[in-house]
Amino acid sequence: MAELPPVPLTLEGSSLLHQMFRFRWREWRGLPQSRREGILSEAVSWLQGLENGKTEGHPNQSAAYAQLGHKGDLMLIHFRDSFEELSEVELALAQTEISDFLEPTHSYVSVVELGLYESSVKTYAALAEKGIEPHSPEWNAGLKDVMDRSAAAMAPRLFPRIPSSKYLCFYPMDKKRGEQINWYTAPISERQRMMQEHGAIGRRYAEDVRQIISGSIGFDDWEWGVDLFADDPLVFKKLIYEMRFDEASAVYAAFGAFYIGVRLPPEKLSRWLSGGSTT
Amino acid sequence: MAELPPVPLTLEGSSLLHQMFRFRWREWRGLPQSRREGILSEAVSWLQGLENGKTEGHPNQSAAYAQLGHKGDLMLIHFRDSFEELSEVELALAQTEISDFLEPTHSYVSVVELGLYESSVKTYAALAEKGIEPHSPEWNAGLKDVMDRSAAAMAPRLFPRIPSSKYLCFYPMDKKRGEQINWYTAPISERQRMMQEHGAIGRRYAEDVRQIISGSIGFDDWEWGVDLFADDPLVFKKLIYEMRFDEASAVYAAFGAFYIGVRLPPEKLSRWLSGGSTT
Amino acid sequence: MAELPPVPLTLEGSSLLHQMFRFRWREWRGLPQSRREGILSEAVSWLQGLENGKTEGHPNQSAAYAQLGHKGDLMLIHFRDSFEELSEVELALAQTEISDFLEPTHSYVSVVELGLYESSVKTYAALAEKGIEPHSPEWNAGLKDVMDRSAAAMAPRLFPRIPSSKYLCFYPMDKKRGEQINWYTAPISERQRMMQEHGAIGRRYAEDVRQIISGSIGFDDWEWGVDLFADDPLVFKKLIYEMRFDEASAVYAAFGAFYIGVRLPPEKLSRWLSGGSTT
Amino acid sequence: MAELPPVPLTLEGSSLLHQMFRFRWREWRGLPQSRREGILSEAVSWLQGLENGKTEGHPNQSAAYAQLGHKGDLMLIHFRDSFEELSEVELALAQTEISDFLEPTHSYVSVVELGLYESSVKTYAALAEKGIEPHSPEWNAGLKDVMDRSAAAMAPRLFPRIPSSKYLCFYPMDKKRGEQINWYTAPISERQRMMQEHGAIGRRYAEDVRQIISGSIGFDDWEWGVDLFADDPLVFKKLIYEMRFDEASAVYAAFGAFYIGVRLPPEKLSRWLSGGSTT
Amino acid sequence: MAELPPVPLTLEGSSLLHQMFRFRWREWRGLPQSRREGILSEAVSWLQGLENGKTEGHPNQSAAYAQLGHKGDLMLIHFRDSFEELSEVELALAQTEISDFLEPTHSYVSVVELGLYESSVKTYAALAEKGIEPHSPEWNAGLKDVMDRSAAAMAPRLFPRIPSSKYLCFYPMDKKRGEQINWYTAPISERQRMMQEHGAIGRRYAEDVRQIISGSIGFDDWEWGVDLFADDPLVFKKLIYEMRFDEASAVYAAFGAFYIGVRLPPEKLSRWLSGGSTT
């Protein structure tokens, strides 16, 4: 059989911005109580508005997480309909009073992505059987048809609500292009098989962990971002450890830094800022 | 056939400087309104002058982009006729009042470059057939002739106007010189074939994305810089992802950090500075 | 014999946070004596409470170490029952007055882990012999049974008290996933053999050094953290050097930065802060 | 023929320090005009003295360059007779008033070096033919003789004046010691051949670019520093690009960061500090 | 012959701390003269005490070096009997007034080490010939005997005085554990041969350069630190360059950053602080 085109079809949804901040505790505690209350009150209501998102169209929510360790104190994640809207929320935050106490330490820009490896292989093979030339108008139309139908079926996963889980784990990743190990030169049928095995592990954890994959080629320094949401952070470890032994990860994956956060609903911001338990 | 010389001919055009800045929002918001207005007014008129560029000779424009995430808030790109003129615009910016609020986070120095792989191989082969010795005066003259004619034909691409597209994607890249994978030891005919396939992908996206390649060997830390301009940022992802599977990229390319920006025309600077939508 | 499942069973215990800080000596010395005494007094009693930990349930202690060199002046380690409790101790510290003088330089988030390579291989083989399908309910129940019994037997190692040793050595590590050397594609029986040899070295040092391994896949940037506790720091060097020649380390281990500290009991904090000997 | 000793003879000349600084523009512009004039006047006369160098003995000059981009605003290069004299000029600068506005971002310490690959191979072979044992007194004397004669002949290149060219390109480099590609295990005759081919390219550019190689093994983080001086910066790109295809560079070279500067004669310092053109 | 145990015997001596600082020149020069004199006077007498070290027991000295370039202005090295004493000198420095002007940029923690490759191979072979089992009490006793005798003979090298040489070169290094090149899996007899060849080069430089090797496995980020002391810094370059061609370095060594310093005796601290020559 002739070689199929190598590029898998993908669907894109919400634009996604992660922001990590260190909080300037010393300056915060140096403020008079009344000033802190004013700032807090503005921050809570701003964050509440973002967390609720929109009632029409895509949810387009934001959420806050208390981070562990020196990588940052506070992580915000924003789902929006465009990069321009992400820019707007970033600028709006820069106008809040609490932003005086937020020192950016990291960020990540991506777009929610669903990879259609299985459909790609099927569709490419079907079009090839019909003798349709890749990149011909007919071929393009055939792909568009598949993608449109998939996008409609998967809309809630493309423009997701933010899971209410207590813990978030975020990390970026690449597929390796090494001297001998190169994901991008492996045949698409091989990659499809590996992604299927990879996905099978994820499905065994589906009850305990919700996963949102976003693509960042052209947007940020890694190829994908992964957000995992769970009520028990141990499942992050168990899931990722188990996956590390599957071929797609063991052989081909490169991982960036890992960020872990505890969900910080707006109504707990006050306790967080005064060092009280957020439980 | 004897081995052809390995170095492809290139044409060089505008000198190009990218500047990335973090904006000191806290200090900015701490200023009295009237002071902010004065600074803004100077900045807008300075930027407007740069964006208009020159009416004679090369366009030599500058443009501003709002960045996403912690890598910076504001990106400026400057096209000029020389590095000295780039130095001048950098020094002029350092004299504006708004520069007090701009903290440099990154930059990139390069020169617009057109690689003439196809002409190189043809010309080298033709000169070799005539028995002309590489680096002889006659050989040099033969090359100069080809380059002069190409430069005249391609002048608008060598000294380009800045596309008015809404989004910019910038990243630097290298060709690998690994232990087994080495672009620089591959025969020029092989490299020419790979660059042609690479270019074919780009041409399929030509309607949606405008690309400016600049060379930075000897000027900055990577070998090339790539600027992509588009009204829909998803095409950045789709184009670069598709290219990642072609041989020139999959096997030989190494990529640096990616910078994404939303065009910020001078007249929207005021809204940007006050957190309003720039749409 | 059929290939056994590749993922070893692990047990998880205390959530563990390392915090490294540089101390702002200049600002500290700039304070009037009485102010320093007040801050110190709060810090000592806060730290004393944490060091004592809990009298019921798991010990959940914290401890302080004076660091050597520029990586930090003070290291705190916290064992707790959850990430949320780690977040709370971090936030509580941020409310103490002494935290004004603590500049975070590094941190590490992990969970105490016991790897059950030997049990895993035995159990997987036994279940396979009985014809029980991996990931079937019966298989899962078989594993759960082994893990529950192990967890009960090993509870004191899963939720450990902090050894009172004078010196601490902390470092993170990975198992390599290189082009030819890949821990994650080695058969579990091979890995079990290597871990056994690795463990045999550790046992020869058991009298002089206490080791706590924590897993950080999904939590921080390396796969494991290692804490070694000893009264003579030379044993750190001798143990790690000897291990560097065993196959599991020589061939498969990648190491991060090393952090060394001298135990700083709360009652010596005063001398530490005034530059006196803590002996 | 027996293997020749692997270490090529080298001649060493001036001690060389590169200093890169970011200029604190905001603080500078915040000064009253008269204060700026006083500081400038001291700086100009200090720099003039250094630029003139010495009238007896080696030139021992310094020169300033305006940098492009965020890596720094101002680069100083100092040629001296010893590291101690380099330390002195560094300390003297730290006593000038303008140093209050100079924030060090980078530096490089090296010694002007001429590699005598051709003489080495010839001399080693001649001594071997005479049956003289390597490292014997007679052998050492034979080498000393060659080196003394070469040093006398090449004195102006060992203790060079700083070319007055408009542009400077500086970068550090290593020869690779990889798993299969290892410069240091290649026979000296092979290395000599490669260096000769490498040098042949340089000679074709000799009219347009002046090159000073300095060795930094034992002094700084790379093995060599390269300074290129030219009136047209495009020749930096063309020369380095062409060299990248020769075997010594394509296969064996690793490059650090690149620094580009526009010569800033003391008399233009005033215009530079006020943002005017330095042309 | 059966394989010998892979771990070479080592002797350990003084605990060693390197501290690198940038000096806050601007703030220093901003002080009134009388204040500077007071601070200087305290610093000189503090440093003099440390430089003299102890008259009984080990020398336990400290010394200061003026650094070149941006990596730091001042380097302190401290030899002590334990890490706790290193911690004490670090804390004592933090209490001096001059420490207000010292910004830590780097440091290194290690222990003076003598590797006994030759004795190890001989002793392992002798014990093996006698049929003594590795790690048996008898075997341990045999090794202890060798080490005790060596330690007594080499005491002055284990607890050295600081050479009074004018220049210091410090760098950390590792032995590689690559995919094919792995020091830690090479037989000890091979490593012994390579170390012997390596040592032979050093001995040819013994008159001009004094070398102190310290081990840092478990203490800092590299496996060893190397301090070279010489009156002519060119011998650093010549020695290290020559060694780079021997097998132990060419194939197996990885090097960290290099730090170069000019000895700064306490009595010259005043001139250093006022920018005068320290010659």
Side-chain angles (χ1 to χ4, degrees):
Chain A
M1 196 183 81
E3 182 93 12
L4 298 178
V7 190
L9 300 171
T10 56
L11 299 176
E12 282 80 21
S14 300
S15 296
L16 175 51
L17 176 65
H18 289 71
Q19 295 186 288
M20 291 76 162
F21 301 99
R22 197 171 280 185
F23 194 77
R24 298 188 171 109
W25 288 109
R26 175 154 60 160
E27 298 177 34
W28 173 254
R29 289 193 295 104
L31 294 182
Q33 174 70 10
S34 62
R35 184 92 179 77
R36 289 206 301 260
E37 278 167 12
I39 296 172
L40 171 68
S41 156
E42 182 205 44
V44 168
S45 90
W46 184 78
L47 191 56
Q48 244 151 5
L50 297 188
E51 176 145 338
N52 290 337
K54 295 196 303 178
T55 52
E56 294 188 16
H58 302 133
N60 288 0
Q61 294 171 284
S62 298
Y65 296 84
Q67 291 185 261
L68 290 180
H70 78 297
K71 289 180 190 168
D73 295 304
L74 190 71
M75 176 163 33
L76 296 179
I77 60 176
H78 310 284
F79 290 76
R80 291 296 183 278
D81 276 342
S82 70
F83 281 172
E84 197 164 29
E85 287 178 48
L86 289 180
S87 176
E88 278 163 28
V89 71
E90 208 185 328
L91 291 168
L93 173 61
Q95 299 297 328
T96 63
E97 290 198 285
I98 203 162
S99 75
D100 282 357
F101 303 88
L102 296 175
E103 181 190 334
T105 56
H106 199 62
S107 66
Y108 206 76
V109 177
S110 55
V111 167
V112 173
E113 177 186 303
L114 294 173
L116 305 177
Y117 261 103
E118 212 177 320
S119 300
S120 303
V121 169
K122 273 190 208 162
T123 310
Y124 289 159
L127 292 167
E129 241 166 64
K130 292 188 203 163
I132 297 173
E133 192 68 18
H135 307 302
S136 64
E138 204 176 344
W139 194 79
N140 290 335
L143 300 189
K144 188 174 182 312
D145 184 51
V146 169
M147 290 170 72
D148 286 352
R149 274 183 293 126
S150 302
M154 293 174 168
R157 288 175 60 199
L158 289 171
F159 299 93
R161 291 193 62 78
I162 298 178
S164 58
S165 318
K166 193 163 183 176
Y167 290 98
L168 168 67
C169 167
F170 169 75
Y171 61 94
M173 61 172 294
D174 275 354
K175 291 296 190 190
K176 289 187 182 173
R177 292 183 299 109
E179 299 229 314
Q180 290 143 64
I181 301 289
N182 192 327
W183 177 260
Y184 290 90
T185 56
I188 192 170
S189 54
E190 273 299 285
R191 282 180 278 128
Q192 187 244 325
R193 175 188 59 76
M194 289 188 278
M195 290 308 288
Q196 197 165 18
E197 290 167 15
H198 185 72
I201 299 174
R203 276 189 292 279
R204 283 207 303 275
Y205 285 83
E207 268 183 41
D208 297 323
V209 61
R210 174 75 194 286
Q211 173 180 283
I212 296 178
I213 304 291
S214 52
S216 43
I217 288 182
F219 305 145
D220 217 319
D221 302 351
W222 296 77
E223 298 175 341
W224 288 277
V226 179
D227 285 280
L228 303 177
F229 300 84
D231 285 322
D232 177 359
L234 278 186
V235 300
F236 299 148
K237 178 170 179 285
K238 291 196 171 291
L239 168 60
I240 301 173
Y241 192 39
E242 184 163 349
M243 280 184 166
R244 197 145 296 183
F245 289 91
D246 76 24
E247 195 178 349
S249 300
V251 177
Y252 289 104
F255 299 100
F258 283 76
Y259 295 86
I260 189 100
V262 189
R263 182 71 176 262
L264 186 61
E267 63 273 18
K268 289 192 178 161
L269 199 54
S270 165
R271 297 183 68 187
W272 184 78
L273 284 166
S274 55
S277 160
T278 55
T279 322
Chain B
M1 197 184 80
E3 182 92 12
L4 299 177
V7 191
L9 300 172
T10 56
L11 299 176
E12 281 81 21
S14 300
S15 296
L16 176 50
L17 176 65
H18 288 71
Q19 294 186 287
M20 290 76 162
F21 300 100
R22 195 171 281 186
F23 194 76
R24 297 187 171 110
W25 288 109
R26 175 153 61 161
E27 297 178 34
W28 173 255
R29 290 194 292 104
L31 293 182
Q33 173 71 9
S34 62
R35 184 94 180 76
R36 288 205 302 259
E37 278 167 12
I39 296 173
L40 172 67
S41 157
E42 183 205 45
V44 167
S45 91
W46 183 78
L47 191 56
Q48 243 152 5
L50 297 188
E51 177 146 338
N52 291 338
K54 294 197 306 179
T55 52
E56 294 188 17
H58 303 134
N60 288 0
Q61 294 171 284
S62 297
Y65 295 84
Q67 292 185 259
L68 290 180
H70 78 297
K71 290 179 190 169
D73 294 303
L74 190 72
M75 175 162 33
L76 295 179
I77 61 175
H78 310 284
F79 290 76
R80 292 294 184 278
D81 276 342
S82 69
F83 280 172
E84 197 164 29
E85 288 177 47
L86 290 179
S87 177
E88 278 164 28
V89 71
E90 208 184 329
L91 290 168
L93 173 60
Q95 299 296 329
T96 62
E97 290 197 286
I98 203 162
S99 74
D100 283 356
F101 303 89
L102 296 175
E103 181 190 334
T105 56
H106 199 63
S107 67
Y108 206 76
V109 178
S110 55
V111 168
V112 173
E113 176 186 304
L114 294 173
L116 304 176
Y117 261 104
E118 213 176 320
S119 301
S120 303
V121 169
K122 273 190 211 163
T123 310
Y124 288 159
L127 292 168
E129 241 166 65
K130 293 188 202 161
I132 298 173
E133 192 69 17
H135 307 302
S136 65
E138 206 176 344
W139 193 80
N140 289 336
L143 300 189
K144 189 174 181 311
D145 184 51
V146 170
M147 289 170 72
D148 286 351
R149 274 183 293 125
S150 302
M154 294 173 168
R157 289 175 59 199
L158 288 171
F159 300 94
R161 291 194 62 79
I162 297 177
S164 58
S165 319
K166 193 163 182 176
Y167 291 98
L168 168 67
C169 167
F170 169 74
Y171 60 94
M173 60 172 295
D174 275 352
K175 292 296 189 190
K176 290 186 182 173
R177 293 182 300 108
E179 299 229 312
Q180 291 143 63
I181 301 290
N182 192 326
W183 178 260
Y184 290 90
T185 56
I188 192 170
S189 54
E190 273 299 285
R191 282 179 279 128
Q192 188 245 324
R193 175 188 57 76
M194 290 188 278
M195 291 308 288
Q196 199 166 16
E197 290 167 16
H198 186 72
I201 299 174
R203 277 189 292 279
R204 282 207 303 275
Y205 286 83
E207 267 182 43
D208 297 323
V209 62
R210 173 77 192 285
Q211 173 181 284
I212 296 178
I213 303 291
S214 52
S216 44
I217 289 182
F219 305 145
D220 217 318
D221 302 352
W222 296 77
E223 298 175 342
W224 289 277
V226 179
D227 285 279
L228 303 177
F229 300 85
D231 285 322
D232 176 0
L234 277 186
V235 300
F236 299 148
K237 178 170 180 284
K238 291 196 171 292
L239 168 61
I240 301 173
Y241 192 38
E242 184 163 348
M243 280 184 165
R244 197 144 295 182
F245 289 92
D246 76 24
E247 195 178 349
S249 300
V251 176
Y252 289 104
F255 299 100
F258 284 76
Y259 295 86
I260 190 100
V262 189
R263 183 71 176 261
L264 186 62
E267 63 273 18
K268 288 192 179 161
L269 198 55
S270 164
R271 296 182 71 186
W272 184 78
L273 284 166
S274 55
S277 160
T278 55
T279 321
Chain C
M1 195 182 82
E3 183 91 12
L4 299 176
V7 191
L9 301 172
T10 57
L11 300 176
E12 282 79 21
S14 300
S15 297
L16 175 50
L17 175 66
H18 288 72
Q19 295 186 289
M20 290 75 162
F21 301 99
R22 197 171 278 184
F23 193 77
R24 298 187 171 109
W25 288 109
R26 175 153 60 160
E27 297 178 35
W28 173 254
R29 288 194 295 103
L31 294 183
Q33 173 71 12
S34 62
R35 184 93 178 78
R36 289 206 299 261
E37 279 166 13
I39 296 173
L40 171 67
S41 157
E42 183 205 44
V44 167
S45 90
W46 183 77
L47 191 57
Q48 244 151 5
L50 296 189
E51 177 146 338
N52 291 337
K54 294 196 304 178
T55 51
E56 294 189 17
H58 303 132
N60 287 359
Q61 294 171 285
S62 298
Y65 295 84
Q67 291 185 260
L68 290 180
H70 78 296
K71 290 179 191 167
D73 295 303
L74 191 71
M75 175 163 33
L76 296 179
I77 60 175
H78 309 285
F79 290 77
R80 292 296 182 278
D81 276 342
S82 69
F83 281 173
E84 197 164 29
E85 288 178 47
L86 288 180
S87 177
E88 278 163 29
V89 72
E90 208 184 330
L91 291 169
L93 173 60
Q95 300 296 328
T96 63
E97 290 198 286
I98 204 162
S99 75
D100 282 357
F101 303 88
L102 297 174
E103 180 190 334
T105 56
H106 198 63
S107 67
Y108 206 76
V109 177
S110 55
V111 168
V112 173
E113 177 186 302
L114 295 173
L116 304 177
Y117 261 104
E118 212 177 321
S119 299
S120 303
V121 170
K122 272 189 209 162
T123 310
Y124 289 160
L127 293 168
E129 240 166 64
K130 293 187 202 163
I132 297 172
E133 194 67 20
H135 307 300
S136 65
E138 204 176 346
W139 194 79
N140 289 335
L143 299 188
K144 188 173 182 311
D145 184 51
V146 170
M147 290 171 72
D148 285 352
R149 275 182 293 125
S150 302
M154 294 173 167
R157 289 175 60 198
L158 290 170
F159 300 93
R161 290 194 62 78
I162 297 178
S164 58
S165 318
K166 194 162 182 177
Y167 291 98
L168 168 67
C169 167
F170 169 74
Y171 59 95
M173 60 172 294
D174 275 354
K175 291 296 190 191
K176 289 187 182 172
R177 293 182 299 108
E179 299 229 313
Q180 289 144 64
I181 301 291
N182 192 326
W183 177 261
Y184 291 90
T185 57
I188 192 169
S189 54
E190 273 300 284
R191 283 180 277 128
Q192 187 245 325
R193 175 190 56 77
M194 290 188 278
M195 291 308 287
Q196 197 165 19
E197 289 167 18
H198 185 73
I201 299 175
R203 275 188 294 279
R204 283 207 304 276
Y205 285 83
E207 267 183 42
D208 297 323
V209 61
R210 174 74 194 287
Q211 172 181 282
I212 296 178
I213 303 292
S214 51
S216 44
I217 289 182
F219 305 145
D220 216 318
D221 302 351
W222 296 78
E223 297 174 343
W224 289 276
V226 179
D227 285 279
L228 303 177
F229 300 84
D231 285 321
D232 177 0
L234 278 185
V235 300
F236 299 148
K237 178 170 179 286
K238 292 196 172 291
L239 168 60
I240 301 173
Y241 191 39
E242 184 163 347
M243 280 184 166
R244 197 145 297 183
F245 290 90
D246 76 25
E247 194 177 350
S249 300
V251 177
Y252 289 104
F255 299 102
F258 283 76
Y259 296 86
I260 190 98
V262 189
R263 182 70 176 262
L264 186 61
E267 62 274 16
K268 289 193 178 161
L269 199 55
S270 165
R271 297 184 68 187
W272 185 78
L273 283 166
S274 54
S277 159
T278 55
T279 322
Chain D
M1 197 184 82
E3 182 92 12
L4 299 177
V7 190
L9 300 171
T10 56
L11 299 176
E12 281 81 20
S14 300
S15 297
L16 176 50
L17 176 65
H18 288 71
Q19 294 186 288
M20 290 76 161
F21 300 99
R22 197 171 280 184
F23 193 77
R24 297 186 171 109
W25 288 110
R26 173 151 63 160
E27 298 178 34
W28 173 254
R29 291 195 292 104
L31 294 182
Q33 173 70 10
S34 62
R35 184 93 180 77
R36 288 206 301 260
E37 278 167 11
I39 295 173
L40 171 68
S41 157
E42 183 205 43
V44 168
S45 90
W46 184 77
L47 191 56
Q48 246 152 5
L50 297 188
E51 177 146 338
N52 290 338
K54 292 196 306 178
T55 52
E56 294 189 17
H58 303 133
N60 287 0
Q61 294 171 284
S62 298
Y65 296 84
Q67 292 185 260
L68 290 179
H70 78 297
K71 290 179 190 168
D73 295 303
L74 191 71
M75 175 162 34
L76 295 179
I77 60 175
H78 311 284
F79 290 77
R80 291 295 183 279
D81 276 342
S82 69
F83 281 172
E84 197 164 29
E85 288 177 47
L86 289 180
S87 177
E88 278 163 28
V89 71
E90 207 183 330
L91 291 169
L93 173 60
Q95 299 296 329
T96 63
E97 290 197 285
I98 204 161
S99 75
D100 282 357
F101 303 89
L102 296 175
E103 181 191 333
T105 55
H106 199 62
S107 67
Y108 206 76
V109 178
S110 55
V111 168
V112 173
E113 177 186 304
L114 294 173
L116 304 177
Y117 260 105
E118 212 176 320
S119 301
S120 303
V121 169
K122 273 189 210 163
T123 310
Y124 289 159
L127 292 168
E129 242 166 62
K130 293 189 202 161
I132 297 173
E133 192 68 19
H135 307 301
S136 65
E138 206 176 345
W139 193 79
N140 289 336
L143 300 189
K144 189 175 181 308
D145 184 51
V146 170
M147 290 171 72
D148 286 351
R149 275 184 291 124
S150 302
M154 294 173 168
R157 289 174 59 199
L158 288 171
F159 300 93
R161 292 194 62 78
I162 297 177
S164 59
S165 319
K166 194 164 182 175
Y167 291 98
L168 168 67
C169 167
F170 169 74
Y171 61 94
M173 60 172 295
D174 275 353
K175 292 295 190 190
K176 289 186 183 172
R177 294 183 299 110
E179 299 229 314
Q180 290 143 65
I181 301 289
N182 192 326
W183 178 260
Y184 290 90
T185 57
I188 190 170
S189 54
E190 273 299 284
R191 283 180 278 130
Q192 187 245 325
R193 175 188 57 76
M194 289 187 278
M195 291 309 288
Q196 199 166 17
E197 291 167 15
H198 186 72
I201 299 174
R203 277 190 292 279
R204 283 207 303 274
Y205 285 83
E207 268 182 42
D208 296 325
V209 62
R210 172 77 193 287
Q211 173 181 285
I212 296 178
I213 303 291
S214 51
S216 44
I217 289 182
F219 305 145
D220 217 319
D221 302 351
W222 296 77
E223 298 175 342
W224 289 277
V226 179
D227 285 279
L228 303 177
F229 300 84
D231 285 321
D232 177 359
L234 278 185
V235 301
F236 298 147
K237 178 170 179 285
K238 292 199 171 289
L239 168 60
I240 302 173
Y241 191 39
E242 184 163 348
M243 281 184 165
R244 197 144 297 182
F245 289 92
D246 76 24
E247 195 178 349
S249 299
V251 177
Y252 289 104
F255 299 101
F258 284 76
Y259 296 86
I260 190 98
V262 189
R263 183 69 175 262
L264 185 62
E267 63 273 18
K268 289 193 178 161
L269 199 54
S270 165
R271 296 183 71 187
W272 184 77
L273 284 167
S274 55
S277 160
T278 56
T279 321
Chain E
M1 196 182 84
E3 183 92 13
L4 299 177
V7 190
L9 301 171
T10 56
L11 299 177
E12 281 81 20
S14 300
S15 296
L16 176 50
L17 175 66
H18 288 71
Q19 294 186 288
M20 291 76 162
F21 300 99
R22 197 171 279 185
F23 193 76
R24 298 186 171 109
W25 288 109
R26 174 152 61 160
E27 297 178 34
W28 174 255
R29 290 194 292 103
L31 293 183
Q33 174 70 12
S34 62
R35 184 92 180 78
R36 289 206 300 260
E37 279 167 12
I39 295 172
L40 171 68
S41 156
E42 182 205 44
V44 167
S45 90
W46 184 77
L47 192 56
Q48 245 152 4
L50 296 189
E51 177 145 340
N52 291 336
K54 294 196 305 178
T55 52
E56 294 189 16
H58 304 133
N60 287 0
Q61 294 171 284
S62 297
Y65 295 84
Q67 292 184 260
L68 291 180
H70 78 296
K71 290 179 190 167
D73 295 302
L74 190 71
M75 174 162 35
L76 296 178
I77 60 175
H78 311 284
F79 290 77
R80 292 296 183 278
D81 277 342
S82 69
F83 281 172
E84 196 164 29
E85 287 177 47
L86 289 180
S87 176
E88 279 164 28
V89 71
E90 207 184 330
L91 291 169
L93 173 61
Q95 299 297 327
T96 64
E97 290 197 286
I98 204 162
S99 74
D100 282 357
F101 303 88
L102 297 175
E103 181 190 335
T105 56
H106 198 63
S107 67
Y108 206 77
V109 178
S110 55
V111 168
V112 173
E113 177 187 303
L114 294 173
L116 304 177
Y117 261 104
E118 212 177 320
S119 301
S120 302
V121 169
K122 273 189 209 161
T123 310
Y124 289 160
L127 292 168
E129 241 166 64
K130 292 188 201 162
I132 297 173
E133 193 67 19
H135 307 301
S136 64
E138 205 176 345
W139 193 80
N140 289 336
L143 299 189
K144 188 174 181 311
D145 184 52
V146 170
M147 290 172 72
D148 285 351
R149 276 184 292 125
S150 302
M154 294 174 167
R157 288 174 60 199
L158 289 171
F159 299 93
R161 292 193 62 78
I162 298 177
S164 59
S165 319
K166 194 162 182 176
Y167 290 98
L168 168 67
C169 167
F170 169 74
Y171 60 95
M173 60 172 294
D174 275 353
K175 292 296 190 191
K176 290 186 182 172
R177 294 183 298 109
E179 299 229 314
Q180 290 143 64
I181 302 290
N182 193 325
W183 177 261
Y184 291 91
T185 56
I188 191 169
S189 54
E190 272 300 284
R191 282 180 277 129
Q192 187 244 325
R193 176 188 56 76
M194 291 188 278
M195 291 308 288
Q196 198 165 17
E197 290 168 15
H198 185 73
I201 298 175
R203 277 189 292 278
R204 284 208 302 276
Y205 286 83
E207 269 183 40
D208 296 324
V209 61
R210 173 76 193 286
Q211 173 181 283
I212 296 178
I213 303 292
S214 52
S216 43
I217 289 182
F219 306 146
D220 217 319
D221 302 350
W222 296 77
E223 297 174 342
W224 289 277
V226 179
D227 285 279
L228 303 177
F229 300 84
D231 285 322
D232 177 359
L234 278 185
V235 300
F236 298 148
K237 178 170 179 286
K238 292 198 172 289
L239 168 60
I240 302 173
Y241 191 39
E242 184 163 347
M243 280 183 166
R244 198 145 295 183
F245 289 91
D246 76 24
E247 194 178 349
S249 300
V251 177
Y252 290 104
F255 299 101
F258 283 76
Y259 296 86
I260 190 99
V262 189
R263 182 69 175 263
L264 185 63
E267 62 273 19
K268 289 193 178 160
L269 199 54
S270 165
R271 297 183 69 187
W272 184 77
L273 284 166
S274 55
S277 159
T278 55
T279 322

